[in-house]
Structure formats: structure tokens, C-alpha cells
Amino acid sequence: MNPGALAEALDGAARDGRALAGGGSGLTDPAEAYAVQDALVARRLARGERLTGFKLGFTSVAKMRQMGVADLIHGRLTDRMEVPDGGRLDVSGLIHPRVEPEVAFLLGGVLRPGGDPMAAVAAVAPALEVIDSRYDGFRFSLPEVIADNTSAAHYAVGAWRSPRELGGLGVLLELDGRTVETGSTAAILGHPLRALAAAARLGGPLEPGTVILAGAATAAVPLPPGTHVRATVAGLGTVALTTEAAGTEGGTA
């Protein structure tokens, strides 16, 4: 397995909006998969993107069951993935986008393995993550999704609030005003702070200013163009975005 070649294939699939066949990469070792992820992210940085965050995947039982995997994974976020709260997202170049509600942390200090994770947190917020596997039909092995930067595509973060208790908060995901998923922050490893500790262990030290997406609180749902999506986390507030397709009314040419 050539990490650079697979990274190039995954990068091309994302840029061209075409899926690769899962299961044919030959990847079996997560360590090799993270080497591919590093090469994939390096390609984005070479085009002028900059790292903004760290994301965890498969932190909820619902998401593990949905994707048929059982291990915690992590990936990276860049500034090109950011969507402003209430903003518009062109999904015409994506393959099969899905969206999920999350809790986001903003670091004010260095997050180190073994330390008190909340001591490094400056603020918390509700978040949306748009995922888009570069494998056909969202079918992949655990090493393949790691290599694909954990299906990262875009994210939006609501208003930042001072750190507070995050255990057992109700989570609501709406599409066009219709409730499609309900859950709890307890779905994130039992408590979002455990996800923060995992981020420190897996990616630390993480620098101040880093955004950490703690993982999905519900299963992900398909996100077609022309959809208004909103997530509400009790006690934290809301975050929203609207999808569009280039060349359609309200879209960008």
C-alpha cells in the first residue's frame, strides 16, 4: 500500500465529487491508515488551507451501528471546511452528504494527554458536522474511513458559551423545521468530556484556538440541496445552515 497514492485518489475523489469503491484499498492496519490521512491533509495544506480543528468519530453507539464499526477514530478540520452559523453551503460538489449534531470545544490553553481536559477549554457550543465519505455508498472498512480523514467535509459552530456542565443534555436535529433525530450528549462516550480526554490522548498536545468536535450525538441523516438544517443542544443553544446547489436559484454560479 502506497500512502501517497491512496491519499491522491481520495483527494481526487473529494475534488471531483466521485466515489471510490470501498474495500479495494488493501488497507488493514489503522497505523497505515493514519499515514494516508496525514498525506491527504498535507495535500490540502499545500493548496493553502490551514488547520482549524480536530474531530472524533464513532463516539456514539448509534453512529457505530450505522457505519458498522466499533473503534474510536479521529481526523482534522481546516478553514475551508468551516461554514458560518446560519450560512449557506453549496453541496453540489459533494458525493452523498449527511449531517449530524455535535458539541464543540474551543481551546484556550494547550490540551495535553493526562491533564485536566476542561482546564484547557475556553468555550463550548452546539455544532453541525457535514460528512461525505469518498467511498461508494458510505461502505468502507475502519482503516479506509480513517484514511479518508473520517469522512470530514464541513462543519458549523453556534455561539460560543463559557464552559458548563454538558452531561445528559437533550439534542434535537431538524430539517426544514421537521424533527428527524433526537438524542442526548450522553451518547457521546457517555459524556462529552470523555471525548475531550480522548482528543488529548489521540492528538495532543493540541494548541489554543483549536476547535474540537466531540462526535455525533445522533445518527447522521442525508442532507440534500435546498435544506435548512438546525441543531439544538439544551442549555447551549442552536446552530444552523442551509444547503444549496451551484447554478440553482439562491445558489452560486
Side-chain angles (χ1 to χ4, degrees):
M1 189 279 301
N2 183 327
L6 183 52
E8 182 178 4
L10 287 166
D11 189 44
R15 298 185 76 186
D16 298 339
R18 55 174 176 78
L20 303 177
S25 67
L27 274 178
T28 59
D29 180 18
E32 291 182 340
Y34 280 113
V36 176
Q37 183 190 116
D38 288 344
L40 177 64
V41 173
R43 293 177 68 88
R44 299 183 69 119
L45 299 183
R47 292 197 293 270
E49 298 184 40
R50 60 179 179 84
L51 290 174
T52 55
F54 185 90
K55 60 160 288 189
L56 294 163
F58 303 142
T59 54
S60 76
V61 173
K63 191 63 183 294
M64 289 180 190
R65 288 175 177 168
Q66 183 184 34
M67 304 285 38
V69 298
D71 292 339
L72 190 68
I73 60 176
H74 63 275
R76 298 287 180 168
L77 305 172
T78 77
D79 60 324
R80 300 278 178 85
M81 299 179 184
E82 293 180 64
V83 181
D85 183 17
R88 305 186 73 86
L89 171 63
D90 179 9
V91 295
S92 61
L94 301 181
I95 301 168
H96 33 209
R98 299 179 182 180
V99 65
E100 54 196 28
E102 306 207 9
V103 170
F105 295 94
L106 177 64
L107 297 185
V110 178
L111 181 64
R112 302 183 187 279
D116 175 8
M118 277 303 286
V121 173
V124 295
L128 288 166
E129 186 183 6
V130 177
I131 57 174
D132 187 39
S133 173
R134 270 58 70 167
Y135 299 108
D136 187 42
F138 262 90
R139 294 185 297 271
F140 43 70
S141 66
L142 182 69
E144 284 176 331
V145 69
I146 290 171
D148 190 27
N149 196 27
T150 67
S151 303
H154 295 282
Y155 70 99
V157 178
W160 292 108
R161 296 176 179 267
S162 59
R164 60 195 62 206
E165 173 55 45
L166 297 172
L169 302 180
V171 178
L172 186 71
L173 181 65
E174 299 171 280
L175 298 185
D176 295 326
R178 176 175 57 90
T179 299
V180 294
E181 290 285 343
T182 60
S184 166
T185 56
I188 306 171
L189 293 179
H191 195 293
L193 281 185
R194 292 177 183 162
L196 190 63
R201 174 175 55 85
L202 296 169
L206 295 171
E207 297 300 317
T210 300
V211 173
I212 297 175
L213 297 185
T218 72
V221 299
L223 186 62
T227 301
H228 179 74
V229 56
R230 181 174 69 172
T232 302
V233 179
L236 284 187
T238 65
V239 56
L241 61 83
T242 300
T243 61
E244 59 189 21
T248 61
E249 185 176 352
T252 56

